[in-house]
Amino acid sequence: MPVYKLCIKIFKKNISTLLIYFFIFLLFSAIMATSASNTQKELEDFSYIKTDIAFINEEESVLVEGLKAELSKVANFIELPDETEALQDALFFGRVKYILRVPEGFTGSFMDRQNVNLEKTIVPASASSAYIDLLVNKYLNTAKIYVQNMEGISQGELVRYLERDLSEEGHVDILAGPENSASSYSSIYFNYMVYPLLSILIYGMSALLISFNNTDIKKRVNCSPLSNTAINIQFSLANLTYAFVVWGLMVAFCLLVDSNNINSSTFYYVLNSFIFTICGTGLAFLIGSLAKGTQAVTALTNVVVLGSCFISGVFVPTELLGSVTLRIGSFTPSYWYVNANNQIARLTQFNFDTLKPVFSDMAVVMLFAAAFFSLAMVIRKERRYS
Amino acid sequence: MVVNVKKLVKRYDDLIALDHLSFSVKEGEVFGLLGPNGSGKTTAINCILSLLKYDKGEIEIFNKPMSPTAYDIKRDIGIVMQNVAVYEELTVYENIDYFCGLYINDKILRKDYVEDAIKFVGLEDYKKFTPKKLSGGLLRRLNIACGIAHKPKLIILDEPTVAVDPQSRNKILEGIEEMNRQGATVIYTSHYMEEVEQICSRILIIDKGKAVATGTKEELKEMITLGEKITIEAYGVPEKSINSLRDLPNISSVEYKESILKIKALKGKNNLESVLEFIKNENIQFANIYSELPTLNDVFLEITGKELRD
């Protein structure tokens, strides 16, 4: 297999340039990995925190004590003087997020089934005050049901019932939930992989194609007893070896770094990237057939790869891109590859129906691959006869 | 016959590159294909090697018809093209090893062949050099080594000395003679008549795709009427003496320009002697005098009416 061995040798000779791309990408992905794992950690470390509130009680009653005890589960009570200015300052400077005032005669009126209100002062648009609101409403609405339906119920009995009812917690079983999210490391990695994968494929294969396209070398090889078929088979085999080694290394790195999160999605990310690698090989073959020198390859790679990465959602999420940009981006295979990745990231169940759109995107990428290979063949044939 | 070409015709639209070209090369010959640039030498070689389709004619190599798939024939042919055809990425050794590997599968044998080729072209000190680091002459030698490493029976060299320094040129020519001595049949194309004259045992002169003349250098020179060229550095030669000189027997032409008297004589004996006697009788002052036998350029000039380097 002299041609195969030669191709591998030429790949090895160009390895320094290719390694630069590879390591820059690894560094970049390591940064992304750190960022993604920090987000994940923040989600896992979630814990309740108590809101600081001021509870001003103008009367003493069992019902109000019960409310206060319930609130104490989610709130810290801050002692403040009952003065308007002091209370406003406390809210303004963030010492408390919520001031709840129980007016005098509240309990009596409540037990007599009259409409009564508690007074509250809050920091506007505060999530914690909305949560306190919910708790107060839940307590009093439940109490109201007992008062309206159990005539003559005592405050002690009412508070006992409320304690029992409110301590009940609903149990939720998540039968199907997302195994990962669009912001997981794998999802980001496989999207960003477009750039280094295409760059490394194009640079490596173009260098080889340029050498092979040299008319004088071609003549010399054609004078040898090696048949054209044997030459083409060995040449294609070498290119495929190169493409799959590059792909394999990139995928292996991701699986290594994100080994804790390997799940069903990972398989489809890998499959999607495999199909994209075939398409990238076609693109590299086309560029290598078109370009007549390494400088032309660099120029074409920058325009084609960088350009498509910017408009197809590789560098900038598709959500942030305009509709016109996305429409233009849809003429590039990377758009469909990223689209498939994003869909995989959103999937909670993996069956043929849910995967149908993913497979459709993969089919489009395969069509691009076929187009690239066909075009490259036509160009090579034209050149051969000219 | 090692190579037999019969009535080869190759057209590029209206241009006839090869016009019923016929020739044959015998085993053990160094066969020269001589002609000016654009005369059809490279086209003929490309057709012989099946690198180019031709319109008419027949080509046989080792008594078998040559075709793009005649791999058994190709196995015994070595080719050295006009332009250097090597991989920039590979070293001298790797390049020779690769091209030799297209013919020789056996690793041990190939290693010996590669070493022999390196030694043959004198690149022992440059084995690990990439082509970029080699001078023009060394590159040409590498080009030759890549073409002959597999020890072919027929070696075709298409203007291998273009843009080569004299030292490398001599080395290349000596190498070709050595390969021939070792048993290889050689086809050598060039527009340098001195090279062809120096190494070729038989020569085909080609012009506008047509075979103009063929034979050994002696046979070719016999074909023309020119026998001798006499050049004399002479001062103040009167017109009358020049005309009298033209009337001497065997003298075909006389030119006098800037104190140089150029005399062409037909084949015959004592031409120089009779010219010298005439100069002495006419009391013409002269400094240098020398006589040359006709060259292939003279052959080409007499047959086609133009110089080889036109």
Side-chain angles (χ1 to χ4, degrees), chain A residues 196-208:
Chain A
L197 181 71
L198 284 184
S199 302
I200 295 172
L201 285 182
I202 293 172
Y203 278 116
M205 287 172 60
S206 300
L208 190 66

Side-chain angles (χ1 to χ4, degrees), chain B residues 114-146:
Chain B
V114 173
E115 291 292 349
D116 284 352
I118 289 173
K119 205 174 163 191
F120 186 77
V121 294
L123 285 175
E124 294 98 322
D125 298 333
Y126 305 94
K127 278 186 201 175
K128 289 183 180 172
F129 281 49
T130 53
K132 272 182 190 170
K133 290 179 184 166
L134 299 179
S135 68
L138 292 178
L139 255 182
R140 291 274 166 191
R141 290 199 223 167
L142 170 62
N143 197 34
I144 292 172
C146 290

